[in-house]
Each structure stands twice: as structure tokens, then as C-alpha cells.
Amino acid sequence: LGGTVPALPPAQSYLAHISREQRWLQSAESQAQRAWWKSYLQGVCPLDLPTHTQTPAKRTQQGGAVHFPISLEHSSALEKLARQLETTPFVILCAAWSLLLSRYARQEDLVIGVPFSGRTSSECEQAQGFLVNTLPLRCLPQADLSGAAYLRRLHQSVMALLEHQELPLDEIVRVASPERRESLLGSPLFQTSFVLEDFSLEAASFAKASSRS
């Protein structure tokens, strides 16, 4: 920008990240996280949604995505509500998604995949490569809970995941050992995921940079 070349620190290689992760997986901290995930996911059942199509006999990697843009007006209202409830817009929207799934599946205990950046330390911040770790978020939208109580519970669960996000998903699957029905194909822990993409900061940064160039 402006004809200058920014001085950037050298990025760490992805191979260095993998080596560091392998060492961490042998540590006492990783064993503690394995124990936590095993307890957290004990007794989970696959999401059983009624569908108008038959389950394929052979597992594939094909899936679907639903993109739901939120207007600036609704986004502002959502942020205001989140501040009032002392939570985040992500938790509120994820709670709404889990409630919808709960109604369709008639389940009060379900798991949703939630992506985390995977950059949990200063060494990872500038590392090259895709470090995202998708974690199973257990949702318990029980009928006797009020909306506010459910949001508080889900908020606490998300915070707990943040504290135990270093363990890779394949390791979580290995220690959780969930029971699966033969008729259900897909991920052993979750069949749906929820992602909130906020482009407001990126747009503001781009506009600011453009005005300087």
C-alpha cells in the first residue's frame, strides 16, 4: 500500500506446527484433555433427523450448506441482545440452530460441530497452513429450561471448549468412542456444524486501507 513493502516476520512452517503438536500429544496436559473430552461426550447419541430421502448404503463426502445472511439492522440488534445476556452473537445463533434441530429430531441431547482457529499459542499465530480444529459442542435444549437458562448453559459449554480446544478432532473421536447405529453414516460425533462468519471487520479494514492507498 502506498508503494511500500511491509516488513513481516517470517512465517512458521506447517511442518513445525505438526512436530510441536505431536510432542504436545505425548504430554500430561493432552492426557488431561483426553479425560475431559471422554467425560464431556459420555452418552451422546447421533443426531437422528427425519428426511425425505433414504440413507445411502455407502458413505460419501457429499453434504449440503445453508447460507443465511444477517442484515446490518438485525446484526446490531443481535449484538445488543448478546450484551444484555452477557454472551456472544455466536452463542445466541448456535442456540437457535440447536433448538431447531432438537424440534425436528425430537432430541434434548445433541452435538454440533463448531470450528475453532487452532491457533492457541504465540507459536501458532503466524504459522502457515490450515490449522482449524472442528470440535463437538454438546447442546442440551431440555424442555424445562428457560431460554435465558439454556443460553447460559450453552455459553458455559462454549467456554469449556475454548479451554480444551488443543486436542485434535481425531483424538477426541478416539477417546469418546460414541455408540453408533448402523443406519447413520457420517461423522461419529456430529452430523451438522455451525459457522458464524463476520465480515464487518474485514470490510472496515479494507475500506480503511483503500482510503490510504
Side-chain angles (χ1 to χ4, degrees), residues 18-174:
I18 293 299
S19 298
R20 184 172 57 253
E21 182 180 77
Q22 291 301 316
R23 291 193 300 271
W24 182 85
L25 288 173
Q26 306 302 318
S27 68
E29 183 182 357
S30 72
Q31 294 300 326
Q33 289 208 15
R34 286 183 176 92
W36 184 88
W37 279 107
K38 185 174 183 178
S39 175
Y40 177 72
L41 295 171
Q42 185 175 7
V44 297
C45 295
L47 184 65
D48 192 4
L49 288 173
T51 63
H52 64 282
T53 58
Q54 292 184 348
T55 303
K58 184 178 180 181
R59 177 179 174 179
T60 70
Q61 298 299 322
Q62 296 180 350
V66 177
H67 299 276
F68 187 84
I70 301 176
S71 67
L72 181 60
E73 178 183 0
H74 288 152
S75 178
S76 299
L78 180 63
E79 291 177 356
K80 181 179 179 180
L81 178 62
R83 288 193 296 270
Q84 292 174 349
L85 298 175
E86 298 182 340
T87 186
T88 65
F90 172 83
V91 171
I92 295 176
L93 293 175
C94 190
W97 176 236
S98 66
L99 286 169
L100 179 65
L101 294 174
S102 176
R103 290 289 184 90
Y104 278 125
R106 298 183 179 180
Q107 292 179 224
E108 292 187 342
D109 187 355
L110 53 96
V111 178
I112 296 174
V114 176
F116 287 80
S117 69
R119 301 178 185 272
T120 57
S121 65
S122 57
E123 294 87 351
C124 298
E125 289 179 358
Q126 301 299 327
Q128 298 177 353
F130 185 75
L131 276 60
V132 170
N133 191 22
T134 303
L135 300 178
L137 173 64
R138 192 168 189 175
C139 305
L140 301 167
Q142 298 167 339
D144 59 342
L145 283 178
S146 66
Y150 178 52
L151 281 173
R152 286 194 296 271
R153 172 179 288 184
L154 193 61
H155 179 94
Q156 293 171 355
S157 190
V158 171
M159 293 300 103
L161 260 63
L162 283 170
E163 295 176 358
H164 301 87
Q165 62 175 304
E166 289 85 2
L167 197 66
L169 178 60
D170 58 341
E171 287 291 325
I172 296 173
V173 171
R174 191 171 292 116

